[in-house]
Amino acid sequence: MGSSRAAHHYVPELITEKLGMSCFNAGQDGNGIILQYGRWKMISERYYPKLIIYDLTFGYDIAQNDNMTYLDRLKPFSYDKTIRAYITGLFPVENLKLFSKMYCFNYKFLEILSDLMREEVTDGYLPITSKMKLDREYKSFPFDGNKVDDIKLNNVEKLVEECNENGVKLVFVVSPSYLGGDYDVEAFEPIRKISVNHNIPFYYYCDSEISNDANLFSDPSHLNDEGARTFTCIIAEAIKKL
Amino acid sequence: MSILPLLVFKYYNFVNESIWSLLSRLGLRYELHGLNWAIPVGISFFTFQAVGYLFDVYYQRIKAEKSIVDYTLFVCFFPQIFSGPISKANELLPQIKEEHRFNYQQGVQGLKFLLWGMFLKLVLADRLGLYVDKVAASYEMYSGGTCVLSAVFYSLQIYGDFAGYSLMAIGVAKTLGFNLINNFNRPYFSVSITDFWRRWHISLSRWLKDYVYIPMGGSRCSKLRNYWNIFVTFLVSGIWHGANWTFIVWGLIHGFAQIIEKALGWNNKESKGITRMLRIVCTFVIVTVAWVFFRMPSLGDAVKFLSHAVSDLGKPQVLSIANFAIYGLAIAIVVVKEVREELFPSKLRFLNNRYVRWIKYVVVFCLILLCGALDSGSFIYGSF
């Protein structure tokens, strides 16, 4: 679970091979805990997975920004009472808007059509084949404590608690970014604290060895297929040791 | 006194930082604390409206308003307070004093404006904004073709955003029985930059003409003085848009383009056929290049963006097929409507048929719900 970094960085077939369990990549472009907690609620109504690898992105899991945009992919499922309650809990006015099915499927109908035309099945994993051309200096952004979003952190905490209650092993990972990437480890401190309090493993690979190899990236924030395969093997080995 | 709040809220930090930056280059340490205040919504718009009123009273074009309530409503008229149109006192104050009863025809007309404004904002502007924002945030990573496409998209985005807001403001005011000035008249069909400013943000152009350009002498003076007047007017326009050098450069590009047009006699030259088409395309290119300065956070970024766009040529990237389908649909609808209104205003009368009109309203309404970016995005001009 996680953002586009999750969708592009974890190869389900390798996780199945290394950990001996079926796997689906639920990462979603431009999304984080607001969407993923809703998805968790839907999944947990039916069954509990053995393991969740949650890839953290500062902008989508910690920073304060417009949470309304993250609900887009949950609106088509608003017929489900739990999802409706979750959406209207965050934005009460949505209760009225959700009566319109056109509103619920706003923009989604074209995505559904384009997904139907997609031939390859990759269990949610979206491989990128291009290599990063750019060779420029990147600097990490200093952590600004004022920008922490309590709603997002609350969702993270609830996810952790519900996973613990139901025997689901949860692992937090910050996957590699080119040359150490967008944010320092300090930026993830609020979630690291939650993970320490609840005894959840927290892996910070943002500035790991593979972060220095431009050939493994398609852009500074995303690994390409080769990078994703290398990284999936590394994280699978780490989880195996738990 | 009228412009003091605008100067303090909007320009204090800019002036402070510019002086600090200049002095620090000379090795001098000077620093005043910056202001971290929330800027009142629409301060640039209602300040200009209030300043216009003062000028009109001073030059005895109107009588001073005795009712503080009517004056306050004139300055803070809610449909236009956020982003205009900037009304003149002699247009709005008499309407405020009139008794208003619901007028069905005016109500219908207002709702039509509101619907089309929402389409421009939510389906055209906000959807294109997703592409523009993504490319502008890390333009170095995209091909030159992608940068060019995003610049063109930004031209359409800002039109949809601002014209959409203006139409919604006009529509809301109309349903309440008030008539506001039309702010846009198909600006991308302009054949020159001079023509562009007759069609883009008409209420601001009129304000600048009446309260800056003409008091300085307008065109009834020597050629050089006239060029100077144009330069100053567009410098003021740039500064009004924002406290950043990017807006000043944007204003100056428009100012210099108009001076050149005037010097070459192109400003009022009529043209037809292919020549007109070429002039429209050339004007659009100049306006689009100027918008790059308007959009990017700094002058350096704007210059780098433009040089990257022309030096690293490559195919434009389609970041999302679904989004591109919506862009195509929205642009096609807007282009067809505007081409018809610009080139064939009295033809294709079947489009005015009652049933065809209702089909158009329902289709536009459904497209807003199905394709509009229905998040909590704001208006670009809301930050000015």
Side-chain angles (χ1 to χ4, degrees), chain B residues 74-328:
Chain B
F74 159 68
V75 175
C76 310
F77 188 51
F78 90 88
Q80 61 183 63
I81 193 168
F82 192 62
S83 295
I86 304 165
S87 288
K88 294 181 90 170
N90 62 358
E91 292 165 356
L92 195 53
L93 270 171
Q95 294 188 62
I96 288 170
K97 291 183 179 300
E98 274 172 22
E99 189 182 336
H100 291 271
R101 287 178 191 279
F102 180 71
N103 178 313
Y104 177 78
Q105 286 303 330
Q106 206 169 12
V108 168
Q109 198 62 32
L111 290 177
K112 282 185 200 172
F113 280 130
L114 191 61
L115 187 67
W116 184 241
M118 285 179 82
F119 180 85
L120 286 178
K121 166 67 181 159
L122 297 171
V123 184
L124 182 73
D126 287 358
R127 280 280 160 221
L128 290 176
L130 298 174
Y131 187 89
V132 174
D133 291 348
K134 205 162 186 173
V135 176
S138 43
Y139 56 89
E140 307 97 324
M141 283 160 38
Y142 296 99
S143 68
T146 308
C147 291
V148 170
L149 186 65
S150 78
V152 171
F153 278 0
Y154 184 67
S155 294
L156 300 174
Q157 183 201 351
I158 196 165
Y159 172 56
D161 190 282
F162 195 21
Y165 177 86
S166 293
L167 282 171
M168 284 191 261
I170 294 167
V172 169
K174 242 186 201 337
T175 55
L176 297 171
F178 291 83
N179 289 310
L180 299 181
I181 179 180
N182 180 25
N183 225 6
F184 290 87
N185 184 22
R186 299 177 293 282
Y188 292 137
F189 283 94
S190 308
V191 290
S192 63
I193 297 296
T194 313
D195 188 26
F196 178 78
W197 280 98
R198 288 186 200 118
R199 293 164 174 258
W200 177 274
H201 205 171
I202 296 167
S203 63
L204 176 70
S205 308
R206 186 181 64 167
W207 193 98
L208 291 169
K209 188 184 88 185
D210 290 351
Y211 305 118
V212 180
Y213 181 66
I214 290 177
M216 286 175 72
S219 57
R220 294 182 179 178
C221 50
S222 69
K223 272 189 178 176
L224 274 179
R225 175 71 199 190
N226 181 214
Y227 298 157
W228 171 250
N229 294 344
I230 295 173
F231 173 83
V232 173
T233 304
F234 279 88
L235 181 66
V236 171
S237 173
I239 293 170
W240 176 84
H241 275 86
N244 193 331
W245 289 103
T246 51
F247 295 114
I248 293 172
V249 169
W250 169 81
L252 292 179
I253 290 173
H254 280 272
F256 280 123
Q258 290 200 53
I259 291 168
I260 292 166
E261 282 172 4
K262 196 144 205 175
L264 298 173
W266 291 350
N267 52 330
N268 286 318
K269 201 175 177 181
E270 291 278 323
S271 44
K272 284 180 182 172
I274 295 285
T275 318
R276 186 179 179 198
M277 278 291 296
L278 284 174
R279 288 186 69 183
I280 289 172
V281 172
C282 286
T283 307
F284 183 76
V285 170
I286 295 168
V287 168
T288 300
V289 169
W291 283 136
V292 171
F293 287 89
F294 198 90
R295 171 63 180 80
M296 299 308 282
S298 69
L299 277 183
D301 279 316
V303 172
K304 277 185 201 163
F305 181 96
L306 287 171
S307 61
H308 184 69
V310 291
S311 61
D312 182 19
L313 292 174
K315 269 198 303 184
Q317 274 171 270
V318 177
L319 299 177
S320 151
I321 292 170
N323 256 339
F324 259 72
I326 295 175
Y327 303 158

Side-chain angles (χ1 to χ4, degrees), chain A residues 140-156:
Chain A
S140 55
F141 297 95
F143 170 58
D144 179 354
N146 293 328
K147 288 181 182 167
V148 167
D149 185 347
D150 291 339
I151 297 172
K152 290 192 178 91
L153 288 185
N154 190 35
N155 275 8
V156 171

Side-chain angles (χ1 to χ4, degrees), chain A residues 102-170:
Chain A
M102 278 199 275
Y103 175 72
C104 292
F105 281 88
N106 165 264
Y107 177 65
K108 299 294 157 310
F109 70 102
L110 280 168
E111 279 199 339
I112 293 167
L113 283 176
S114 61
D115 278 351
L116 286 174
M117 289 186 280
R118 204 188 290 262
E119 283 176 8
E120 49 190 332
V121 178
T122 53
D123 289 328
Y125 166 60
L126 300 173
I128 312 176
T129 48
S130 61
K131 281 185 183 172
M132 190 167 71
K133 289 179 192 167
L134 201 64
D135 188 19
R136 62 172 179 148
E137 209 175 301
Y138 289 97
K139 54 183 178 198
S140 55
F141 297 95
F143 170 58
D144 179 354
N146 293 328
K147 288 181 182 167
V148 167
D149 185 347
D150 291 339
I151 297 172
K152 290 192 178 91
L153 288 185
N154 190 35
N155 275 8
V156 171
E157 187 129 33
K158 281 195 285 187
L159 176 70
V160 169
E161 286 169 359
E162 288 167 28
C163 283
N164 278 348
E165 279 167 21
N166 296 291
V168 179
K169 189 182 277 181
L170 178 64

Side-chain angles (χ1 to χ4, degrees), chain B residues 65-77 92-93 96-97:
Chain B
E65 178 53 51
K66 298 279 191 282
S67 162
I68 184 77
V69 176
D70 288 352
Y71 174 76
T72 308
L73 183 55
F74 159 68
V75 175
C76 310
F77 188 51
L92 195 53
L93 270 171
I96 288 170
K97 291 183 179 300

